[in-house]
Structure formats: C-alpha cells, structure tokens
Amino acid sequence: MEQIEAERFTAALAATAQRVQRLLDDILCDASAPGEIVRPQRVLQAMRHGALAGGKRLRPFLTIETAALFGRRDEGPLRAGAALELVHCYSLVHDDLPAMDDDDLRRGQPTVHKAFDEATAILAGDGLLTLAFDVIADASVDADAEIRLALSQTLARAAGLGGMVGGQALDLAAEAAAVPLAAEDIERLQAMKTGALLAWAVDAGAILGRADPAERAALRRYGRALGACFQIADDILDAESDAATLGKRAGKDAGRNKATLVAALGLDAAKARRDALAADAGRALDALAGRDATTLRETARFVARRLS
Amino acid sequence: MEQIEAERFTAALAATAQRVQRLLDDILCDASAPGEIVRPQRVLQAMRHGALAGGKRLRPFLTIETAALFGRRDEGPLRAGAALELVHCYSLVHDDLPAMDDDDLRRGQPTVHKAFDEATAILAGDGLLTLAFDVIADASVDADAEIRLALSQTLARAAGLGGMVGGQALDLAAEAAAVPLAAEDIERLQAMKTGALLAWAVDAGAILGRADPAERAALRRYGRALGACFQIADDILDAESDAATLGKRAGKDAGRNKATLVAALGLDAAKARRDALAADAGRALDALAGRDATTLRETARFVARRLS
C-alpha cells in the first residue's frame, strides 16, 4: 500500500514537472511580450539554461496540489508555480556564482556562468527574477486582480530581504564566522534561505484556492514544517551522498564550514529531527477536515526520504 | 524667464528627491514587513548604501509630475516612483560588479561591492529588485488592484529581458565585439538599457492618472524621446567631463570600447541628435491639450543640458 502510494506520487510529480517544463519553455521563447523591445539571444539562452535544465519542480507541484485541495484544476496554479520556479532558478544561478558558492556543476550540467560567462549569469538571474513578476501578474493566473496582487506581494516578501535573499546573506555570514551557529540559528537561516519559498509554494495554493483562515493557517504550518524538513534532508544528503547521485558537488558543506544541522546536531539527531518535521507536516494536514490531502501527505514523506 | 523656469525646476526636482529619499529610508528600515522573518543587517546596510546614496531621483520625479498632469497629488505616484527607483538602484549595484562594468566609484562613494563585498552586492541588488515588487503591489500606490497589477507587470517588462536586462546584455556584447555597432543598433540598445525604465517612469504616471489612450500614446512618445535624449546626454557628458564633476569614473566609455552615439556619430552630430530628441519630447506634449505640461517640458530641457 505504501509502495503503491509512493509510485503514484512519483508519477504525479513527474507529470507535473513535464507541464512546468513545457510552460517555462513557452514563457522563455524568442518572441517578445507586449512592452518588451527584443529578447537578446545570449542572455535568453542563459536564462533557458538556468530554468530548463530539469529538476523535480517540487515547488510548482506544491502550489498545484494545494490549490487542488480546494477543487482548482485550471491553469492558474500551474502559472503561479511557474513564476515561483523562475524565482527558484534565478536563486540557483546567482548562488552558483564565483563570489557566492562558486559551483561548476548543477543537475549534472555546467552552471550558467560556466556555460556562458559571469556577467551573463548575473543578468540571466536578474532576468529570471524579473520575469517571475510578469508571469504572476497575468490574468491567466487568476481572474481576480486582488488575488494576483496578493500572490505577487507575498512572493516578493518570501524571496526578498526578509526571506530567501536574507537567508543567503546569513548563510554567507555563517560561513565566514569563527564560531559555528547554534542549531536554532541554523533553523532560522534555513527557514529564510529555502523554507520561505517552499512555504510560499503551499501558501500560494491556499490563496488560489480561497482557503478559509483556519485552513490557510494549517497549510502554513504544513509549509513551514515541510520547508524545514526539506533542508535537513538536503544537508543529510550532502553529508552521505556522492556527486554522481546528486548531480552537483557533494560533501561540499563540510568542506567549507557551511551552517548545517548535520554539523550542529550530528547525523543521527539530524535524521530524527527530519522525521519529526515530516510527522509535524502530516499532523498539520489533519486540520483540513473533508479535504483529501493524500498527495500533500505523500509529499512530506517524499521530502523526508529523498535520495537526490 | 527661461532662467526662472530652470530655477523653479531645479528646486522642484530637489524637493521631490528629498521625498523619495525619506520614503526609501523608511522602506529600507530594520523592521520586517508582514511575511518577512528578519532583515539581516549586513545585506540591509548594503541595500541602503545602494539606494540611499543620493542621485537626482529623476525617474520618480517623472512619475509624480506625469500623474500630476491629471490632478493626482496623493502619495501613490511617489510610492510607484520609489519602486522604480529601487529597480534603478539595483541595476547600478549589479552593473558596477567586477564581472560587469567593474566600477569602484558611484556618486562619489565606493560602490556596494567595494564598501561591502561582491557576494553581498549581488544579494543587495537582488533584494532591491525584489523589494520593488513588494512596494508596487501595496494598496497605498492606488486603490484599484487592476492599476497596481498593470504597474507591476509593465515594470517587470521594462526592467527585464526585453528591456533593461536585455539592453545590458547587448551592451556587454557590443563591448566584446570586433566591429563597432551602427548608430541605429546603439539607439535600440540604449532604448532598452536606460530608455525602457525612463519611459516606464512616464507611463506609470499616465497609468496612475487614468490618461486616455491618446494622452497615454503622446506621453509614451515623450518618454521614449526623453529616454533617448538622456542617454546621448550621458554619453556626451562622459566624453567631455571629468570624475570630480561626475562622481564616477569619466572617459570610461572610450577606454573600453563602449557602444556610444558619440563614438558612432562624432561629438557634434551627437549633440545635434540630443537637441532634436529634446525638441521631439517637447512636441509630443503638444497633444496634451488643456494639461499644464510646463514641468515635463522643463524636464526635457534639463535632461538635454544636464552637467552631471
């Protein structure tokens, strides 16, 4: 039974990833949108390299599946999820830069500044981030302008200074610091760096689905727990895996004094924390009486056990 | 008479710059907005360095004065202009990076990557860009959500791949190219790199003022001519001025094979083109029958004759 659920989940995730891929391919086409002059080739190709190289597309999947809880099965959640994926991909392009994490490899491919050059990678990241706010503003996301605005503003806050950008800054500071961070500081850093966007993925689905305040709060708790679980699982993966499985440099966290919960707690305690967070994510869903949250439950299990 | 108009204009521009400065100072405060976790100090200070170092604030001024044509004198145009200024400032922070224009000095101050470090400058730029879309979505910009969305989406397009980001990419390509660009290619590059945001400044005022289609078209023509005029004036300034007047490295365009109209046309023809564009901007305003466009006319004269 558990095996069947896991297989169904994997197939659903892959099917959504294909839909996201097709939409991003379309959004990043040659043709200019109204209000654009032309789309210069080299930076467009760099943006495509950064956004179309694959990936599980977990964030759009969360938006789509959360909206589906409330009966939404139109294109709107997919489009909101694609906007989010553009933000996620921009952050990877900039994070890989020599001045940041200095990575040559991402999903088994050269990173954007390796495949192109550093200036083009900076601009490609800027372009992906900017494009996200074009995509999210479009009427195809939701007929209600107030809903699109709420999505746009909450996305900006999750991605910005008080969210992802701030988390990346804290991460750099931790790397340079003489004293390792305490576990609770690492958890806050991670809640910003990766948690904010993952939590937004769920919240966007709740906004699109017109969740009532109690449901939205339950889903926020789910999203926060899931985001934290995701990041510990990532740290555990980095500590245990190798580059061939991971498609990127492995063991790099320990090699550069990265603030991780594996370093702060030890591997066994980190795994226990990961499992506790997955369980907490599942419990948060119990508040959604009358909604079929099977897929979101399975997502929490998937995130905790993921191998790449 | 002309002298009096010019003095009145300079005073009005300075007064608006102060309002913009105060608002940006407030937006970039320590306190997190709802949906933000915390605002980490170092990257916040870098964002403040990039956004509060002064400048004429010409873009917000254009938004405010264009909206004022239609009787709008509330805070909305100021807030939309502040969002635009955040986008402009982010572009300067990233443009100054070693992999881009590699500048140490901006408005007489060390650039952000010099005052902080390169990674922090990348993140600060990302944070300023992201924050712009938070600010523009706020109800204080306009009570009508459709208007705010139109602003957000057109801003994204002016700033993105088919606008400013694309123009920066074309500029880098021109620098690396063996053959100098033709004048018309330079004009298109500049229409994207600097023109798109300046034109958006005017268009945002028209959107906020509920300009009718004929008025909006006239203002678009004005904004495009003004943007082109601004960039030629900038190129002429770079060719003729020195670092003390400019607050940044002068003569740098010629030193690095930058695509400029001074190089393509020669100094005298570039000045004639600048004056023709200023005149065209003025003529575009003739279509606004019954609106007092004195300030926008003076802005075109100011842009053509600016000394820094």
Side-chain angles (χ1 to χ4, degrees), chain A residues 34 37 94 126 134 153 157 162, chain B residues 34 37 94 126 134 153 157 162:
Chain A
I37 299 173
H94 280 189
D126 293 343
D134 178 359
Q153 191 168 41
R157 288 176 179 181
Chain B
I37 299 172
H94 280 188
D126 293 344
D134 178 359
Q153 191 169 40
R157 288 177 178 180

Side-chain angles (χ1 to χ4, degrees), chain A residues 212-223:
Chain A
D212 70 33
E215 290 170 323
R216 193 167 167 198
L219 284 164
R220 279 193 167 147
R221 180 179 152 203
Y222 167 81

